[in-house]
Amino acid sequence: MARPGRPLQRRTLLASGGALAPGAALAAWTPPGPIRLVVPFATGGGNDLTARLLAPGFGAALGQPVTVENHHGAAGTLGAGLVAHAPPDGATLLVDGMNQAVAPFLLPSPGFDYLHAFAPISQLCRIPLLLVIRADARFDSLAALLSRARLQPGRYAYASSGNGVANHVAAALLASRAGVSFTHSPYRGGAPALRAILGGEADFGFVITALALPLLSRGRLRALALSTAARLPMLPAVPSIAEQGFPGFDVTAWNGLFGPAGLAAEAIDRLYAACRAALDTAEARQRLAASGATALATAPATFEAFLRQERAAMRALVEAARIQAD
């Protein structure tokens, strides 16, 4: 049985259904100054794109300038550690994703405890992943890739954004379900991983739709499968992995906003309100939808419950699929 970890500190002023509680408590907290959104991966990846989409409206809602800072390295733990050790005053926040659910069970101790070092503020969006290859690759289907991998264990390499992120988990799960062996090549973000696929350093990889779509349209990539259970309306011809012999396969990348543990209840709820204001606009939703993503802006209590469930599921997956850090 997976252990979800000790429940994170709770501090909700939210009514059910995500509606904001009476405004007096929210108005009581104001940011101490300019806000830093720390992204623990390189520019151009999913966390980075989400942070940069969020920043303008987020800052406007809070009345403070917001900067996005990329502190990548050590599988995301350098940037995450910067926020984990920051004062809990709301000035330094983290935009992170599935790494928050996988790292506690996959990575060696990074100098802080992922399970208790952060205060969940809001889940920002969900992002499908596409299994992509270069357009000139010799195999043209998922079945062909897996057939070749069975004949030559370890011969085929996949690029990922780093250990413990969604595209690492998706590829490791596929290998486990298919009974094949791939070589994992972790990079410092989604954009470097994609460059490795295009440059021939890796044979394939799972890539967020926002990065893959322009290259698919220009004929530089081919998509063999989708990581989520349902097909994408914008790519109706691309089948899911579940449709191709692996029922139940469903891996979705996601991004969320976190503060350091100890962040006050009033701060969490004001920051959540700013997330909602930033993402609940026609422009933000259209930009996310155009990249295949879905805006969420879930309430802190909802996000915290999701994170507990995700950690339990990811611990079970790491153990069952024998996923390892490389």
Side-chain angles (χ1 to χ4, degrees):
M1 179 66 68
R3 177 178 61 85
R6 179 167 59 85
L8 301 172
Q9 62 178 34
R10 190 52 238 143
R11 62 275 134 181
T12 183
L13 300 175
L14 299 170
S16 61
L20 294 178
L26 298 181
W29 182 85
T30 57
I35 295 172
R36 307 160 67 197
L37 295 182
V38 175
V39 176
F41 298 99
T43 57
N47 291 301
D48 181 67
L49 294 174
T50 301
R52 294 181 190 280
L53 175 67
L54 177 74
F58 188 66
L62 292 169
Q64 289 289 347
V66 175
T67 59
V68 177
E69 299 180 6
N70 298 83
H71 294 270
H72 53 82
T77 62
L78 289 183
L82 189 154
V83 177
H85 297 299
D89 58 6
T92 303
L93 305 173
L94 177 70
V95 178
D96 206 351
M98 190 179 285
N99 206 40
Q100 285 279 332
V102 181
F105 317 114
L106 183 66
L107 301 180
S109 176
F112 60 92
D113 182 359
Y114 266 102
L115 294 174
H116 306 118
F118 303 100
I121 296 169
S122 182
Q123 189 179 9
L124 302 174
C125 64
R126 288 192 300 264
I127 312 171
L129 300 170
L130 288 165
L131 194 166
V132 299
I133 57 174
R134 287 194 306 170
D136 60 355
R138 295 182 179 179
F139 47 88
D140 59 1
S141 68
L142 177 60
L145 169 60
L146 296 178
S147 177
R148 287 171 177 262
R150 291 188 183 98
L151 294 174
Q152 296 178 285
R155 158 67 179 80
Y156 292 92
Y158 66 91
S160 83
S161 306
N163 287 298
V165 299
N167 48 19
H168 176 203
V169 170
L173 177 59
L174 176 62
S176 176
R177 291 283 303 272
V180 300
S181 174
F182 297 126
T183 296
H184 179 207
S185 298
Y187 291 82
R188 290 188 171 185
L194 181 56
R195 288 195 292 269
I197 298 168
L198 292 169
E201 297 173 23
D203 297 289
F204 73 98
F206 283 86
V207 177
I208 62 169
T209 46
L211 293 179
L213 288 172
L215 294 163
L216 290 170
S217 66
R218 295 203 296 268
R220 297 188 63 192
L221 289 177
R222 279 186 288 165
L224 302 185
L226 187 69
S227 70
T228 50
R231 295 195 186 197
L232 283 177
M234 64 185 62
L235 295 171
V238 179
S240 68
I241 291 175
E243 292 178 76
Q244 300 184 70
F246 302 95
F249 192 105
D250 189 353
V251 178
T252 305
W254 54 268
N255 301 134
L257 185 67
F258 300 82
L263 191 59
E266 294 83 359
I268 289 170
D269 286 294
R270 179 81 188 279
L271 293 167
Y272 159 61
C275 286
R276 285 189 64 182
L279 295 178
D280 194 19
T281 66
E283 180 184 2
R285 292 183 180 276
Q286 287 170 3
R287 287 176 62 186
L288 286 169
S291 66
T294 303
L296 296 175
T298 56
T302 304
F303 185 29
E304 185 173 323
F306 165 82
L307 191 57
R308 286 199 299 268
Q309 294 170 356
E310 189 82 340
R311 282 172 171 164
M314 289 300 107
R315 179 174 183 174
L317 176 58
V318 166
E319 294 173 352
R322 296 185 174 88
I323 299 174
Q324 297 180 340
D326 295 295

